[in-house]
Amino acid sequence: MTDSAAPKTTPHGNEELFEALAEAGVPADSSPRRRAEYSYDASNYRVEPLAVVFPRVVDDVVAAVEACRSTGTPIIARGGGTSMAGNAVGPGLVLDFSRYMNRVRAIDEEAGTVDVEPGVVLAALSGEVERATAGRRTFAPDPSSKSRATVGGAIGNDACGNHSVRYGRTSDHVAEIDLVTSDGARLTATETGLRATDPTDSSATARAEELTGSLSRLAQQHLSALRLELGRIPRQVSGYHLENLLPERKFNIARAVVGSEGTWAVVVGARMKLVPKPASALLVCLGYRDVVDAARDVPAILEFSPAAVEGTDEAIVATMRHRRGPDSVLGLPDGQAWLFVDLDGDDPASVSAQADRLLERLGENGRLVQGRKAADPAERASLWRVREDGAGLSSRLASGGESWPGWEDAAVAPERLADYLADLRELLAAHELTGVMYGHFGAGCMHIRITYDLRSERGRAVFREFTRQAAELVVRHGGSLSGEH
């Protein structure tokens, strides 16, 4: 069944919604197959929606939002469905932007910006930018899911990626975001405020002024909390980025919208910032006895201004070899946990010399088991695949057990990461759980797949108790739980 066909079934009790969508000329697919397909994302959660809409233009989004508002129906904006915490599922109407609203509209190399629709895939975006600029510019955020994740999704959860140490999060790369509010207003969030997307739209202009006033008052009423409690660590993304509403942040509503998971408005377009692509890059792979030792060397590594500091443990490597064969992981130094450090610069000789100084410094620290430079581009790409692909493959471990997502993007300051991981290992052991650890070590941000037993009542009770205690542990270490929870 195509999205232009009438739905074969209408879920009981929702006739008003489907009538409103039909009157607006917006096809909604409520077939059992489509609802089943969109009942899950990359997380543990399963929530069947009422129907799925594939918007072709912004007017379709406005009509769908109006239909949902008038009928009290939840609305879920969805990109690639790569969320590991249920952010792309819900019981209402799903808007999937990846099918049609997926174009790169314009690339302005001189201004360093690219105009995109929300459904464009991140890897496709960076590839198109690099081709258009002869490799001089790129789009920086590069999560492991970049071959499926979309710009709209990255804006929704403030995605970062392997090179977040150098380039930060999606919020660091947003200039403007085009939005549709819950009452159907088309607004554009900028680095200094909010305006009507169409300046001739008087109702949208009035709505922009009203919301600007409300947000300004909110910031003024909570100046102390916004200044002292938010933005304290590199990966603090819990809740909303309201610190961007502060006067010293120039009332940057575009940045405040990022990470709001579609709860402020529906993203229908964006102007994103581009970054220069380094002329030369070199991967330094470091082997350690365990992830705690690896984390203790992170502050020293950060002194060398790396572009990336990513980590993984032996369970992921063993799973890669088990699932894809022994030749799938080549060139790793000795160890049971590894850091992948990307160094870059203007020429290969200076980058190589910097890598030598890094290896010497880490050798003096006494924790490094073995380190090596991976200069060959093919070898570098192969080693990065261990970090990027291994986490997904490790849902079925080489040992035969299962590991589950659900404890995602817990973050602490990088200098506190080792102590946090040591305490977290003790907590896992106390609950007889194993954690497969990987993440953005340079930003103090971890993803951990855990061997929960979610099929028994006892196992689910362990899941709930562990999650509560793990959250308390992050807070004790001055950390943050991201919007992915």
Side-chain angles (χ1 to χ4, degrees), residues 297-484:
D297 267 355
V298 166
I301 295 170
L302 292 177
E303 295 175 11
F304 288 79
S305 299
V309 185
E310 296 292 294
T312 190
D313 69 10
E314 61 182 338
I316 287 179
V317 172
T319 299
M320 283 280 290
R321 287 173 170 151
H322 175 72
R323 299 280 294 275
R324 291 186 174 175
D327 292 340
S328 63
V329 181
L330 298 175
L332 276 180
D334 292 339
Q336 289 78 48
W338 295 269
L339 293 181
F340 301 85
V341 180
D342 241 358
L343 301 175
D344 56 29
D346 294 331
D347 66 272
S350 63
V351 176
S352 181
Q354 184 186 27
D356 290 336
R357 292 192 295 271
L358 172 63
L359 290 170
E360 181 180 1
R361 169 70 180 280
L362 298 180
E364 293 170 354
N365 285 353
R367 287 179 285 268
L368 182 67
V369 174
Q370 186 182 23
R372 61 182 301 272
K373 299 185 291 186
D376 178 71
E379 182 183 22
R380 182 169 175 259
S382 176
L383 287 169
W384 269 120
R385 277 197 294 274
V386 176
R387 166 63 182 87
E388 293 174 348
D389 296 352
L393 291 174
S394 63
S395 60
R396 295 290 186 273
L397 299 171
S399 63
E402 290 180 309
S403 69
W404 297 86
W407 187 246
E408 308 300 328
D409 275 6
V412 299
E415 62 270 18
R416 301 190 66 169
L417 180 61
D419 290 340
Y420 164 65
L421 291 179
D423 289 347
L424 182 63
R425 287 196 311 189
E426 291 183 4
L427 181 61
L428 286 162
H431 288 281
E432 299 181 345
L433 297 170
T434 298
V436 179
M437 298 187 181
Y438 62 101
H440 316 298
F441 277 55
C445 178
M446 296 298 297
H447 298 275
I448 304 176
R449 297 191 68 100
I450 299 175
T451 55
Y452 300 121
D453 170 19
L454 299 179
R455 293 180 171 85
S456 71
E457 183 55 43
R458 179 182 179 279
R460 291 189 289 273
V462 168
F463 170 83
R464 288 189 291 270
E465 181 62 17
F466 169 82
T467 301
R468 182 186 64 80
Q469 293 181 5
E472 293 172 349
L473 180 62
V474 174
V475 173
R476 286 204 303 274
H477 283 275
S480 162
L481 302 178
S482 91
E484 289 205 324

Side-chain angles (χ1 to χ4, degrees), residues 90-147:
L93 183 70
V94 171
L95 302 183
D96 184 345
F97 291 92
S98 65
R99 178 174 290 189
Y100 299 118
M101 294 182 67
N102 57 10
R103 293 168 296 179
V104 176
R105 293 172 178 157
I107 298 170
D108 188 335
E109 182 177 2
E110 184 176 352
T113 60
V114 57
D115 289 359
V116 297
E117 293 181 325
V120 64
V121 172
L122 297 179
L125 171 58
S126 60
E128 191 161 338
V129 168
E130 290 169 20
R131 285 190 295 272
T133 63
R136 292 181 295 270
R137 296 268 187 168
T138 191
F139 181 67
D142 61 342
S144 297
S145 57
K146 62 182 179 289
S147 64

